[in-house]
Short mmCIF file of all heavy atoms in Angstrom, two decimals:
data_model
loop_
_atom_site.label_atom_id
_atom_site.label_comp_id
_atom_site.label_asym_id
_atom_site.label_seq_id
_atom_site.Cartn_x
_atom_site.Cartn_y
_atom_site.Cartn_z
N MET A 1 -105.86 -129.12 -82.51
CA MET A 1 -106.86 -129.66 -81.57
C MET A 1 -106.30 -130.78 -80.92
O MET A 1 -105.68 -131.75 -81.53
CB MET A 1 -108.17 -130.02 -82.23
CG MET A 1 -109.17 -130.46 -81.23
SD MET A 1 -109.77 -129.23 -80.21
CE MET A 1 -110.74 -128.18 -81.33
N LYS A 2 -106.33 -130.91 -79.53
CA LYS A 2 -105.79 -132.00 -78.76
C LYS A 2 -106.87 -132.79 -78.09
O LYS A 2 -107.86 -132.20 -77.65
CB LYS A 2 -104.80 -131.51 -77.71
CG LYS A 2 -103.62 -130.61 -78.26
CD LYS A 2 -102.68 -131.53 -78.90
CE LYS A 2 -101.43 -130.75 -79.28
NZ LYS A 2 -100.50 -131.51 -80.03
N THR A 3 -106.70 -134.16 -77.94
CA THR A 3 -107.67 -134.92 -77.28
C THR A 3 -106.96 -135.79 -76.34
O THR A 3 -105.81 -136.17 -76.49
CB THR A 3 -108.53 -135.81 -78.31
OG1 THR A 3 -107.68 -136.59 -78.99
CG2 THR A 3 -109.28 -134.91 -79.26
N PHE A 4 -107.67 -136.20 -75.28
CA PHE A 4 -107.09 -137.03 -74.31
C PHE A 4 -108.21 -137.97 -73.68
O PHE A 4 -109.26 -137.48 -73.37
CB PHE A 4 -106.48 -136.40 -73.12
CG PHE A 4 -106.05 -137.14 -71.95
CD1 PHE A 4 -105.02 -138.05 -72.05
CD2 PHE A 4 -106.78 -137.12 -70.77
CE1 PHE A 4 -104.61 -138.93 -70.97
CE2 PHE A 4 -106.42 -137.86 -69.68
CZ PHE A 4 -105.34 -138.72 -69.74
N ALA A 5 -107.99 -139.24 -73.62
CA ALA A 5 -109.01 -140.21 -73.03
C ALA A 5 -108.39 -140.60 -71.65
O ALA A 5 -107.33 -141.30 -71.55
CB ALA A 5 -109.15 -141.42 -73.89
N CYS A 6 -109.11 -140.28 -70.67
CA CYS A 6 -108.62 -140.59 -69.26
C CYS A 6 -108.38 -142.12 -69.12
O CYS A 6 -107.44 -142.58 -68.40
CB CYS A 6 -109.63 -140.08 -68.25
SG CYS A 6 -109.10 -140.23 -66.51
N GLY A 7 -109.20 -142.93 -69.79
CA GLY A 7 -109.07 -144.35 -69.62
C GLY A 7 -107.69 -144.93 -70.08
O GLY A 7 -107.28 -146.00 -69.80
N ASP A 8 -106.98 -144.10 -70.89
CA ASP A 8 -105.61 -144.45 -71.28
C ASP A 8 -104.65 -144.56 -70.08
O ASP A 8 -103.63 -145.22 -70.18
CB ASP A 8 -105.09 -143.58 -72.35
CG ASP A 8 -105.77 -143.76 -73.75
OD1 ASP A 8 -106.41 -144.77 -73.91
OD2 ASP A 8 -105.51 -142.97 -74.59
N VAL A 9 -105.03 -143.66 -69.06
CA VAL A 9 -104.08 -143.68 -67.83
C VAL A 9 -104.80 -144.33 -66.72
O VAL A 9 -104.11 -145.00 -65.97
CB VAL A 9 -103.84 -142.16 -67.51
CG1 VAL A 9 -102.96 -142.04 -66.28
CG2 VAL A 9 -103.08 -141.45 -68.75
N ILE A 10 -106.07 -144.18 -66.58
CA ILE A 10 -106.82 -144.78 -65.44
C ILE A 10 -107.83 -145.70 -66.06
O ILE A 10 -108.87 -145.25 -66.58
CB ILE A 10 -107.49 -143.69 -64.57
CG1 ILE A 10 -106.43 -142.78 -64.10
CG2 ILE A 10 -108.35 -144.38 -63.50
CD1 ILE A 10 -106.89 -141.71 -63.16
N PRO A 11 -107.50 -147.02 -66.12
CA PRO A 11 -108.45 -148.03 -66.76
C PRO A 11 -109.74 -147.95 -66.22
O PRO A 11 -109.97 -147.79 -64.99
CB PRO A 11 -107.70 -149.39 -66.53
CG PRO A 11 -106.25 -148.97 -66.27
CD PRO A 11 -106.22 -147.63 -65.61
N GLY A 12 -110.79 -147.97 -67.09
CA GLY A 12 -112.16 -148.07 -66.67
C GLY A 12 -112.85 -146.71 -66.74
O GLY A 12 -114.11 -146.63 -66.62
N CYS A 13 -112.09 -145.56 -66.82
CA CYS A 13 -112.59 -144.28 -66.91
C CYS A 13 -113.05 -143.97 -68.32
O CYS A 13 -112.13 -144.19 -69.23
CB CYS A 13 -111.71 -143.18 -66.31
SG CYS A 13 -112.50 -141.54 -66.29
N SER A 14 -114.16 -143.50 -68.57
CA SER A 14 -114.66 -143.15 -69.88
C SER A 14 -114.64 -141.66 -70.27
O SER A 14 -115.08 -141.26 -71.31
CB SER A 14 -116.08 -143.68 -70.14
OG SER A 14 -116.93 -143.06 -69.21
N ALA A 15 -114.04 -140.88 -69.36
CA ALA A 15 -113.96 -139.46 -69.61
C ALA A 15 -113.01 -139.13 -70.76
O ALA A 15 -111.92 -139.70 -70.91
CB ALA A 15 -113.60 -138.68 -68.42
N ARG A 16 -113.50 -138.20 -71.61
CA ARG A 16 -112.57 -137.73 -72.68
C ARG A 16 -112.57 -136.21 -72.73
O ARG A 16 -113.60 -135.59 -72.45
CB ARG A 16 -113.16 -138.26 -74.06
CG ARG A 16 -113.18 -139.78 -74.23
CD ARG A 16 -113.69 -140.24 -75.53
NE ARG A 16 -112.71 -139.98 -76.55
CZ ARG A 16 -111.71 -140.88 -76.87
NH1 ARG A 16 -111.64 -141.96 -76.30
NH2 ARG A 16 -110.87 -140.52 -77.78
N PHE A 17 -111.46 -135.70 -73.28
CA PHE A 17 -111.23 -134.32 -73.08
C PHE A 17 -110.78 -133.69 -74.50
O PHE A 17 -109.99 -134.45 -75.09
CB PHE A 17 -110.26 -133.85 -72.04
CG PHE A 17 -110.69 -134.43 -70.67
CD1 PHE A 17 -110.22 -135.62 -70.22
CD2 PHE A 17 -111.55 -133.69 -69.92
CE1 PHE A 17 -110.52 -136.12 -69.00
CE2 PHE A 17 -111.94 -134.25 -68.70
CZ PHE A 17 -111.43 -135.41 -68.25
N THR A 18 -111.22 -132.61 -74.88
CA THR A 18 -110.74 -131.89 -76.09
C THR A 18 -110.42 -130.49 -75.80
O THR A 18 -111.23 -129.85 -75.09
CB THR A 18 -111.88 -132.05 -77.16
OG1 THR A 18 -112.19 -133.34 -77.35
CG2 THR A 18 -111.37 -131.43 -78.54
N ALA A 19 -109.30 -130.01 -76.25
CA ALA A 19 -108.90 -128.63 -76.12
C ALA A 19 -108.05 -128.21 -77.19
O ALA A 19 -107.42 -129.00 -77.91
CB ALA A 19 -108.16 -128.42 -74.70
N ALA A 20 -107.83 -126.89 -77.29
CA ALA A 20 -106.94 -126.33 -78.37
C ALA A 20 -105.52 -126.70 -78.19
O ALA A 20 -104.79 -126.73 -79.19
CB ALA A 20 -107.20 -124.85 -78.44
N ASP A 21 -105.12 -126.86 -76.98
CA ASP A 21 -103.66 -127.14 -76.72
C ASP A 21 -103.53 -127.98 -75.41
O ASP A 21 -104.48 -128.29 -74.75
CB ASP A 21 -102.88 -125.85 -76.59
CG ASP A 21 -103.42 -124.89 -75.53
OD1 ASP A 21 -104.03 -125.38 -74.65
OD2 ASP A 21 -103.30 -123.69 -75.73
N GLU A 22 -102.24 -128.39 -75.17
CA GLU A 22 -102.05 -129.24 -74.05
C GLU A 22 -102.43 -128.56 -72.73
O GLU A 22 -103.00 -129.29 -71.78
CB GLU A 22 -100.53 -129.67 -73.95
CG GLU A 22 -100.17 -130.66 -74.91
CD GLU A 22 -98.79 -131.32 -74.63
OE1 GLU A 22 -98.13 -130.79 -73.65
OE2 GLU A 22 -98.44 -132.21 -75.29
N ASP A 23 -102.26 -127.22 -72.61
CA ASP A 23 -102.62 -126.62 -71.34
C ASP A 23 -104.15 -126.68 -71.05
O ASP A 23 -104.48 -126.88 -69.87
CB ASP A 23 -102.23 -125.11 -71.38
CG ASP A 23 -100.73 -124.91 -71.26
OD1 ASP A 23 -100.06 -125.82 -70.84
OD2 ASP A 23 -100.22 -123.77 -71.52
N GLY A 24 -104.90 -126.63 -72.14
CA GLY A 24 -106.29 -126.80 -71.95
C GLY A 24 -106.68 -128.14 -71.48
O GLY A 24 -107.60 -128.38 -70.71
N ILE A 25 -105.97 -129.18 -72.02
CA ILE A 25 -106.19 -130.51 -71.62
C ILE A 25 -105.84 -130.74 -70.16
O ILE A 25 -106.68 -131.24 -69.38
CB ILE A 25 -105.39 -131.54 -72.40
CG1 ILE A 25 -105.81 -131.50 -73.91
CG2 ILE A 25 -105.40 -132.92 -71.84
CD1 ILE A 25 -107.13 -132.17 -74.20
N PHE A 26 -104.73 -130.11 -69.68
CA PHE A 26 -104.37 -130.35 -68.37
C PHE A 26 -105.22 -129.64 -67.38
O PHE A 26 -105.47 -130.21 -66.32
CB PHE A 26 -102.90 -129.81 -68.08
CG PHE A 26 -101.78 -130.79 -68.51
CD1 PHE A 26 -101.02 -130.70 -69.66
CD2 PHE A 26 -101.59 -132.03 -67.85
CE1 PHE A 26 -100.15 -131.61 -70.00
CE2 PHE A 26 -100.72 -132.98 -68.16
CZ PHE A 26 -99.94 -132.79 -69.27
N SER A 27 -105.76 -128.49 -67.74
CA SER A 27 -106.65 -127.82 -66.79
C SER A 27 -107.90 -128.62 -66.65
O SER A 27 -108.52 -128.66 -65.50
CB SER A 27 -106.96 -126.42 -67.34
OG SER A 27 -107.63 -126.33 -68.47
N GLN A 28 -108.38 -129.23 -67.67
CA GLN A 28 -109.63 -130.04 -67.59
C GLN A 28 -109.30 -131.38 -66.87
O GLN A 28 -110.13 -131.82 -65.92
CB GLN A 28 -110.17 -130.37 -68.97
CG GLN A 28 -110.67 -129.28 -69.73
CD GLN A 28 -111.13 -129.65 -71.18
OE1 GLN A 28 -111.93 -130.52 -71.29
NE2 GLN A 28 -110.61 -129.05 -72.22
N VAL A 29 -108.19 -131.92 -67.06
CA VAL A 29 -107.83 -133.20 -66.41
C VAL A 29 -107.62 -133.04 -65.04
O VAL A 29 -108.06 -133.89 -64.16
CB VAL A 29 -106.66 -133.84 -67.12
CG1 VAL A 29 -106.08 -135.04 -66.32
CG2 VAL A 29 -106.91 -134.37 -68.60
N ALA A 30 -106.99 -131.94 -64.61
CA ALA A 30 -106.72 -131.76 -63.21
C ALA A 30 -108.02 -131.61 -62.35
O ALA A 30 -108.16 -132.25 -61.24
CB ALA A 30 -105.94 -130.44 -63.01
N GLY A 31 -109.08 -130.95 -62.95
CA GLY A 31 -110.34 -130.84 -62.22
C GLY A 31 -111.02 -132.20 -62.13
O GLY A 31 -111.59 -132.57 -61.26
N HIS A 32 -110.96 -132.97 -63.32
CA HIS A 32 -111.53 -134.23 -63.43
C HIS A 32 -110.94 -135.28 -62.37
O HIS A 32 -111.48 -136.03 -61.69
CB HIS A 32 -111.50 -134.83 -64.90
CG HIS A 32 -111.80 -136.23 -64.97
ND1 HIS A 32 -113.04 -136.75 -64.86
CD2 HIS A 32 -110.94 -137.39 -65.20
CE1 HIS A 32 -112.99 -138.11 -65.00
NE2 HIS A 32 -111.75 -138.42 -65.27
N ALA A 33 -109.61 -135.22 -62.40
CA ALA A 33 -108.89 -136.19 -61.58
C ALA A 33 -109.22 -135.92 -60.10
O ALA A 33 -109.33 -136.82 -59.30
CB ALA A 33 -107.38 -136.00 -61.78
N ALA A 34 -109.32 -134.67 -59.67
CA ALA A 34 -109.66 -134.33 -58.31
C ALA A 34 -111.09 -134.72 -58.00
O ALA A 34 -111.35 -135.37 -56.93
CB ALA A 34 -109.40 -132.83 -58.08
N ALA A 35 -111.93 -134.37 -58.85
CA ALA A 35 -113.39 -134.69 -58.64
C ALA A 35 -113.77 -136.08 -58.68
O ALA A 35 -114.52 -136.63 -57.81
CB ALA A 35 -114.29 -133.84 -59.61
N ASP A 36 -113.24 -136.80 -59.64
CA ASP A 36 -113.67 -138.18 -59.96
C ASP A 36 -112.66 -139.28 -59.49
O ASP A 36 -113.13 -140.50 -59.35
CB ASP A 36 -113.94 -138.36 -61.46
CG ASP A 36 -115.13 -137.55 -61.84
OD1 ASP A 36 -116.04 -137.31 -61.02
OD2 ASP A 36 -115.21 -137.14 -63.02
N HIS A 37 -111.46 -138.89 -59.31
CA HIS A 37 -110.52 -139.89 -58.96
C HIS A 37 -109.82 -139.62 -57.58
O HIS A 37 -108.86 -140.39 -57.13
CB HIS A 37 -109.41 -140.15 -60.01
CG HIS A 37 -110.00 -140.56 -61.35
ND1 HIS A 37 -110.69 -141.68 -61.51
CD2 HIS A 37 -109.93 -139.94 -62.55
CE1 HIS A 37 -111.06 -141.79 -62.76
NE2 HIS A 37 -110.64 -140.80 -63.45
N GLY A 38 -110.14 -138.55 -56.90
CA GLY A 38 -109.54 -138.20 -55.66
C GLY A 38 -108.04 -137.87 -55.81
O GLY A 38 -107.23 -137.85 -54.82
N VAL A 39 -107.61 -137.45 -57.05
CA VAL A 39 -106.16 -137.16 -57.26
C VAL A 39 -106.09 -135.62 -57.09
O VAL A 39 -106.45 -134.89 -57.98
CB VAL A 39 -105.77 -137.61 -58.62
CG1 VAL A 39 -104.39 -137.21 -58.87
CG2 VAL A 39 -105.84 -139.14 -58.74
N THR A 40 -105.56 -135.25 -56.02
CA THR A 40 -105.43 -133.82 -55.68
C THR A 40 -103.98 -133.26 -55.97
O THR A 40 -103.76 -132.11 -55.90
CB THR A 40 -105.86 -133.45 -54.22
OG1 THR A 40 -105.05 -134.24 -53.34
CG2 THR A 40 -107.33 -133.72 -54.08
N THR A 41 -103.06 -134.18 -56.06
CA THR A 41 -101.68 -133.82 -56.30
C THR A 41 -101.26 -134.32 -57.78
O THR A 41 -101.33 -135.48 -58.00
CB THR A 41 -100.71 -134.47 -55.31
OG1 THR A 41 -101.09 -134.01 -54.06
CG2 THR A 41 -99.29 -133.99 -55.65
N VAL A 42 -101.00 -133.42 -58.58
CA VAL A 42 -100.65 -133.79 -59.99
C VAL A 42 -99.09 -133.82 -60.06
O VAL A 42 -98.41 -132.97 -59.98
CB VAL A 42 -101.12 -132.75 -60.97
CG1 VAL A 42 -100.72 -133.04 -62.40
CG2 VAL A 42 -102.63 -132.57 -60.92
N THR A 43 -98.63 -135.09 -59.94
CA THR A 43 -97.24 -135.40 -59.90
C THR A 43 -96.60 -135.24 -61.26
O THR A 43 -97.27 -135.41 -62.25
CB THR A 43 -96.95 -136.78 -59.32
OG1 THR A 43 -97.51 -137.76 -60.28
CG2 THR A 43 -97.59 -137.02 -57.94
N PRO A 44 -95.22 -135.13 -61.29
CA PRO A 44 -94.53 -135.14 -62.68
C PRO A 44 -94.89 -136.47 -63.41
O PRO A 44 -95.02 -136.38 -64.60
CB PRO A 44 -93.14 -135.09 -62.31
CG PRO A 44 -93.18 -134.26 -60.93
CD PRO A 44 -94.36 -134.75 -60.19
N GLU A 45 -94.97 -137.54 -62.55
CA GLU A 45 -95.19 -138.85 -63.30
C GLU A 45 -96.63 -138.76 -63.93
O GLU A 45 -96.77 -139.35 -65.04
CB GLU A 45 -95.11 -139.90 -62.21
CG GLU A 45 -93.69 -140.29 -61.81
CD GLU A 45 -93.27 -139.32 -60.77
OE1 GLU A 45 -94.05 -138.52 -60.21
OE2 GLU A 45 -92.04 -139.21 -60.44
N LEU A 46 -97.59 -138.15 -63.23
CA LEU A 46 -98.90 -138.20 -63.72
C LEU A 46 -98.97 -137.27 -65.07
O LEU A 46 -99.58 -137.54 -66.06
CB LEU A 46 -99.89 -137.65 -62.73
CG LEU A 46 -101.38 -137.53 -63.21
CD1 LEU A 46 -101.91 -138.91 -63.67
CD2 LEU A 46 -102.23 -136.99 -62.13
N VAL A 47 -98.25 -136.16 -64.97
CA VAL A 47 -98.23 -135.25 -66.11
C VAL A 47 -97.56 -135.94 -67.26
O VAL A 47 -97.99 -135.85 -68.44
CB VAL A 47 -97.38 -133.98 -65.75
CG1 VAL A 47 -97.09 -133.18 -67.05
CG2 VAL A 47 -98.12 -133.12 -64.76
N ALA A 48 -96.52 -136.77 -67.00
CA ALA A 48 -95.77 -137.39 -68.20
C ALA A 48 -96.76 -138.46 -68.74
O ALA A 48 -96.83 -138.66 -69.97
CB ALA A 48 -94.58 -138.10 -67.65
N ALA A 49 -97.46 -139.14 -67.88
CA ALA A 49 -98.32 -140.24 -68.33
C ALA A 49 -99.53 -139.65 -69.15
O ALA A 49 -99.96 -140.17 -70.20
CB ALA A 49 -99.00 -140.96 -67.14
N VAL A 50 -100.02 -138.47 -68.72
CA VAL A 50 -101.13 -137.85 -69.54
C VAL A 50 -100.57 -137.30 -70.84
O VAL A 50 -101.18 -137.53 -71.86
CB VAL A 50 -101.70 -136.61 -68.58
CG1 VAL A 50 -102.73 -135.81 -69.52
CG2 VAL A 50 -102.49 -137.29 -67.49
N ARG A 51 -99.47 -136.67 -70.67
CA ARG A 51 -98.84 -136.10 -71.97
C ARG A 51 -98.57 -137.15 -73.05
O ARG A 51 -98.81 -136.89 -74.23
CB ARG A 51 -97.50 -135.27 -71.61
CG ARG A 51 -96.96 -134.65 -72.82
CD ARG A 51 -95.90 -133.72 -72.40
NE ARG A 51 -96.37 -132.51 -71.85
CZ ARG A 51 -95.81 -131.86 -70.79
NH1 ARG A 51 -94.84 -132.31 -70.15
NH2 ARG A 51 -96.34 -130.80 -70.39
N ALA A 52 -98.28 -138.35 -72.57
CA ALA A 52 -97.86 -139.38 -73.47
C ALA A 52 -99.10 -139.91 -74.18
O ALA A 52 -99.04 -140.52 -75.25
CB ALA A 52 -97.23 -140.60 -72.68
N HIS A 53 -100.31 -139.65 -73.68
CA HIS A 53 -101.53 -140.07 -74.25
C HIS A 53 -102.36 -138.99 -74.88
O HIS A 53 -103.52 -139.24 -75.31
CB HIS A 53 -102.32 -140.85 -73.24
CG HIS A 53 -101.72 -142.14 -72.86
ND1 HIS A 53 -100.88 -142.29 -71.88
CD2 HIS A 53 -101.78 -143.41 -73.46
CE1 HIS A 53 -100.46 -143.50 -71.71
NE2 HIS A 53 -100.97 -144.33 -72.66
N ILE A 54 -101.75 -137.76 -74.92
CA ILE A 54 -102.61 -136.68 -75.63
C ILE A 54 -102.36 -136.80 -77.09
O ILE A 54 -101.13 -137.01 -77.50
CB ILE A 54 -102.06 -135.34 -75.13
CG1 ILE A 54 -102.47 -135.05 -73.72
CG2 ILE A 54 -102.65 -134.17 -76.03
CD1 ILE A 54 -102.03 -133.72 -73.08
N HIS A 55 -103.32 -136.74 -77.83
CA HIS A 55 -103.21 -136.92 -79.39
C HIS A 55 -103.65 -135.69 -79.99
O HIS A 55 -104.63 -134.97 -79.62
CB HIS A 55 -104.11 -138.17 -79.79
CG HIS A 55 -103.86 -139.37 -79.14
ND1 HIS A 55 -102.58 -140.00 -79.41
CD2 HIS A 55 -104.48 -140.14 -78.30
CE1 HIS A 55 -102.52 -141.22 -78.61
NE2 HIS A 55 -103.60 -141.26 -77.99
ZN1 ZN B 1 -110.94 -140.28 -65.33
#
């Protein structure tokens, strides 16, 4: 089981995600980032930052 707290990358955000694997986390985070943060382009830097904080 993997978990990710958006606030680890975007300070002040309280969204948390849980999925069976990293792909599940990324699919949820991509939707959340677009809807709540206006992030429509998932850059390699963003992927690396998210991956570094997946537990
Ligand atoms: Zn967020």
Side-chain angles (χ1 to χ4, degrees):
M1 186 66 75
K2 302 289 187 181
T3 60
F4 171 71
C6 188
D8 286 346
V9 174
I10 301 177
C13 184
S14 60
R16 301 182 69 88
F17 305 94
T18 302
D21 54 28
E22 284 193 356
D23 285 347
I25 295 287
F26 276 110
S27 65
Q28 293 179 55
V29 170
H32 165 72
D36 294 332
H37 299 303
V39 177
T40 54
T41 302
V42 179
T43 63
E45 289 78 13
L46 180 59
V47 170
V50 170
R51 181 168 285 140
H53 291 93
I54 292 176
H55 301 291

